Amino acid sequence: MSLRLSNLNVTHGDKVLVETARLVFERGQPVTIVGESGSGKSLLAHAMMGTLPPNLAARGTLTVDGHSYDISDQANRRALWGRTMALLPQEPVLALDPTMRAGEQVAEGVPAFRTDKRGARRTADALLSSLSLGQASSSFPHTLSGGMAQRVAFAAATIGGAPVLIADEPSKGLDRRARTELAELLKLHLNGGGILLTITHDLDLARELGGEVLVMKDAHVVEQGAAGQVLAQPVHPYTRRLLAAEPSRWSHPWMRGSLNAERADVVQGATGAVLVSGEGLTKSFGGQQLFSNLSVEVRAGERIALGGPSGSGKTTLGNVLLRLLPPDTGTVQHADVLKGGRLQKLYQDPALAFPPRVRLAEALGDVVRRHGLDGSCLEELMGSLRLAPELLHRRPGQISGGELQRIAIIRSMLLEPALVFADEPTSRLDLITQEETMRCLMEQVELLDCALVLVTHDDALSAAVTDRSIQLGAATPLRMPELQPAVL
C-alpha cells in the first residue's frame, strides 16, 4: 500500500497555513513531523483525513493505492474513515464521548460491532487490558488521567485495523516509560504492514520511531531526511534551534541545578515560611489507592515536581493540596498569605479553565476588575510570550491550545501569586515555545519569590525547573497486544 499527497495548500482567506509539494508514505516506513506550534502540522493531517474546519480552504490531491481524491472535497474520504484511515486525535479527552464508558467507545470501532456487540466488547476489553487499562473499561473519560485518556483513544483508533494511522501528539501526557511502550505499539502497526504518520513535539519519540522526519515552520517543510541525520546533524537553522531547546540543554539565570552551581545553597533545603502543609494524606479513586499516609510541605520560594507514571495520582495530590479535593484521610492547612487569589492553578487542559463563549480580553479584564489589579503589565506579558494582542479579541476555541496555555499563565501572574500549581503547563507547546514559556513563568516566579509545584512527565524539564521531586506510584508495564496485520 502507498499513500501520496500532492500540491497540498491550506488557506484561511489570503493566509497560507500549509503548503507542500509532494509527500510519499510507504507501508512499514514511519514518517514523523516535528516543528513549532501553528506551523501547520495538524492541519496537514486533517487535510488528509477531510476533517478541516469549515472556515479553511484546501487544494491538492491524496492518492491511496492509485485512487485519487480531491482534497477540496471534504466528504469524499469519509468512506475511508476507520477502514482505511484512522486519526488518533491531539485532545483525547475532548475527542472521547463524555457520556459513554471507555470500553463501549472502543468497542464501536470493531468491524463486527453491529452484528456481534458482545464479541466486540470482549475484543475492546482485551485491547484495553493489554494497555494496562483493564479497570478503565467501565470508566467515563472525565475520570481518567490525560495519559490514560490518550491510551483509550489509541485503542479506539487502532482496533478497526485501518492500515493508515495518523497519530497527532500521541505521547502527550505520557511518562517516559509509557512513551517508549507507545512507540512499540506504533511500531507494531508498522510491522503489520501499516502506514504511520506521527505529529509530535516530542523529539525523543521521533528518535524512537526512526524512519523519516519532516521539520515544519511557517506552513512549509524546511528540512526532511532520515531521523538519525536530521535529529543529530541538522542543516536548517530552525532545526538546530529546535534541538537546542530541549530542557537538558537549557542554561538560564533562574535555574537552580548544576548549570548554576553558585545557587546550590538554595537547592539544599527550603527555609521559607510553610505555605501548604498536608499530613497523613490518603486518596483513592475507583477502588484504586493513589497514595497513602503521605505528608507534604510546600514552603515559600520552593520548587517541587510531582512525578510518576500516568494515572498515579499527581494531579489528584495537587488538587488535595490546593483543597479542591478532600482527602480520604489526613488534613491540609494553608497559610493566610494564600488568601485573595494568591494560590493559582495552571490546568493541564486550559480550554476547561476559560468560559468558552467569552472573549479572552473580557475574561482577563474580569480578573483585573475583580481583584483591583493594575492591568498595564498585560501587554508586556503578552509580548514576552510571543502572543499577538489581537488574540485577546477571540474566544478560547478560536486559538491554538499552546496559545491558550500561555494566556492561562498570564492570567495567573496578574494576581502575583505566592504559590502556583502547574499541571503539565507546557504539554501542548513545541520545544522552543516551551523554553520561552517556562522562561517567562520562572522569571515571574523568581521575581515574586513564588513557590511552584510542577506536574510533569518530563524528567529533563523537572531537573531544569525544580529543586526536588515527589514520586508517586509504580509503572505498570504494558503487555503488547497481539495485533492483527493491517488489511491491505
Side-chain angles (χ1 to χ4, degrees):
M1 183 179 199
S2 64
L3 192 74
R4 186 170 69 251
L5 187 62
S6 304
N7 301 317
L8 175 64
N9 184 272
V10 180
T11 57
H12 181 230
D14 295 333
K15 184 176 182 180
V16 175
L17 303 178
V18 182
E19 190 170 42
T20 62
R22 186 171 183 270
L23 298 177
V24 178
F25 308 90
E26 300 287 350
R27 61 181 181 181
Q29 299 297 318
V31 176
T32 305
I33 302 178
V34 301
E36 64 182 355
S37 299
S39 62
K41 302 185 303 299
S42 294
L43 290 179
L44 185 149
H46 284 287
M48 292 173 63
M49 289 290 296
T51 53
L52 284 171
N55 62 327
L56 303 184
R59 301 191 309 272
T61 304
L62 179 70
T63 305
V64 183
D65 268 355
H67 191 287
S68 295
Y69 298 86
D70 183 354
I71 291 288
S72 65
D73 180 3
Q74 291 257 62
N76 65 13
R77 278 146 287 159
R78 289 181 182 174
L80 303 179
W81 294 355
R83 299 175 177 86
T84 302
M85 302 173 67
L87 175 66
L88 179 58
Q90 183 175 159
E91 301 287 357
V93 173
L94 299 181
L96 295 171
D97 188 333
T99 68
M100 292 179 64
R101 300 180 191 275
E104 296 171 354
Q105 298 192 55
V106 176
E108 285 191 342
V110 177
F113 176 76
R114 292 185 178 181
T115 57
D116 184 10
K117 288 183 171 59
R118 288 187 178 180
R121 291 192 180 98
R122 287 195 296 270
T123 302
D125 288 344
L127 179 54
L128 288 171
S129 293
S130 74
L131 297 173
S132 303
L133 291 171
Q135 292 182 331
S137 181
S138 60
S139 300
F140 290 99
H142 73 275
T143 67
L144 304 176
S145 72
M148 294 168 73
Q150 185 68 282
R151 281 180 277 163
V152 170
F154 174 85
T158 58
I159 199 167
V164 180
L165 177 62
I166 301 174
D168 193 358
E169 293 289 356
S171 63
K172 184 180 354 182
L174 300 184
D175 58 88
R176 179 182 294 180
R177 179 170 181 171
R179 185 198 63 219
T180 299
E181 292 165 337
L182 171 69
E184 293 302 316
L185 287 171
L186 295 174
K187 290 176 184 177
L188 278 180
H189 176 79
L190 291 166
N191 294 340
I195 288 174
L196 175 66
L197 170 61
T198 305
I199 295 160
T200 185
H201 293 316
D202 187 343
L203 297 187
D204 284 333
L205 177 63
R207 293 182 178 104
E208 290 186 55
L209 291 175
E212 188 173 19
V213 167
L214 285 66
V215 182
M216 286 191 71
K217 186 180 188 301
D218 296 333
H220 297 85
V221 175
V222 298
E223 186 163 356
Q224 181 175 352
Q229 175 67 31
V230 172
L231 299 179
Q233 297 176 315
V235 174
H236 196 277
Y238 172 75
T239 311
R240 293 198 292 268
R241 174 70 182 91
L242 190 66
L243 290 169
E246 292 186 281
S248 60
R249 307 185 187 194
W250 288 2
S251 178
H252 295 288
W254 46 261
M255 294 173 65
R256 296 177 175 176
S258 58
L259 294 176
N260 292 275
E262 70 274 11
R263 304 202 57 185
D265 59 311
V266 183
V267 183
Q268 297 304 317
T271 58
V274 176
L275 300 177
V276 176
S277 176
E279 296 289 339
L281 302 176
T282 301
K283 189 67 178 178
S284 299
F285 266 127
Q288 178 185 359
Q289 189 171 81
L290 299 177
F291 45 86
S292 176
N293 197 30
L294 181 65
S295 295
V296 179
E297 273 190 352
V298 182
R299 293 177 175 269
E302 191 174 18
R303 304 173 188 174
I304 303 173
L306 299 184
S310 174
S312 61
K314 301 182 297 298
T315 296
T316 299
L317 174 59
N319 286 335
V320 168
L321 293 174
L322 268 59
R323 298 200 298 210
L324 297 175
L325 277 178
D328 296 338
T329 65
T331 60
V332 176
Q333 301 293 327
H334 285 184
D336 289 343
V337 72
L338 297 180
K339 294 178 180 178
R342 300 200 66 209
L343 173 58
Q344 288 291 304
K345 177 176 178 178
L346 297 175
Y347 286 82
Q348 183 175 8
D349 186 354
L352 301 178
F354 285 88
R357 298 182 181 179
V358 177
R359 297 186 188 279
L360 292 164
E362 297 172 28
L364 293 177
D366 287 343
V367 174
V368 170
R369 287 189 296 273
R370 179 183 178 90
H371 294 274
L373 305 174
D374 178 5
S376 61
C377 65
L378 179 58
E379 183 177 347
E380 180 183 347
L381 287 170
M382 290 285 289
S384 67
L385 285 174
R386 291 196 307 157
L387 292 171
E390 55 264 27
L391 292 179
L392 295 181
H393 300 296
R394 302 180 190 176
R395 295 182 178 89
Q398 295 173 324
I399 67 175
S400 73
E403 289 168 336
L404 191 59
Q405 188 75 283
R406 284 176 277 168
I407 289 176
I409 290 174
I410 289 172
R411 182 176 61 179
S412 69
M413 289 299 110
L414 286 172
L415 291 153
E416 297 187 353
L419 170 60
V420 171
F421 173 67
D423 190 356
E424 297 279 5
T426 59
S427 62
R428 286 157 176 77
L429 306 182
D430 63 85
L431 288 170
I432 293 175
T433 307
Q434 172 181 257
E435 182 177 17
E436 293 172 347
T437 299
M438 289 305 300
R439 175 186 56 77
C440 181
L441 173 62
M442 296 309 298
E443 285 176 353
Q444 292 295 313
V445 165
E446 188 90 341
L447 178 66
L448 299 171
D449 194 24
C450 175
L452 175 73
V453 178
L454 174 71
V455 172
T456 181
H457 291 103
D458 188 334
D459 293 339
L461 179 62
S462 172
V465 171
T466 63
D467 306 330
R468 64 184 177 94
S469 66
I470 299 172
Q471 295 294 316
L472 297 179
T476 302
L478 304 185
R479 302 187 299 278
M480 293 297 110
E482 296 295 329
L483 297 182
Q484 296 298 318
V487 180
L488 304 178

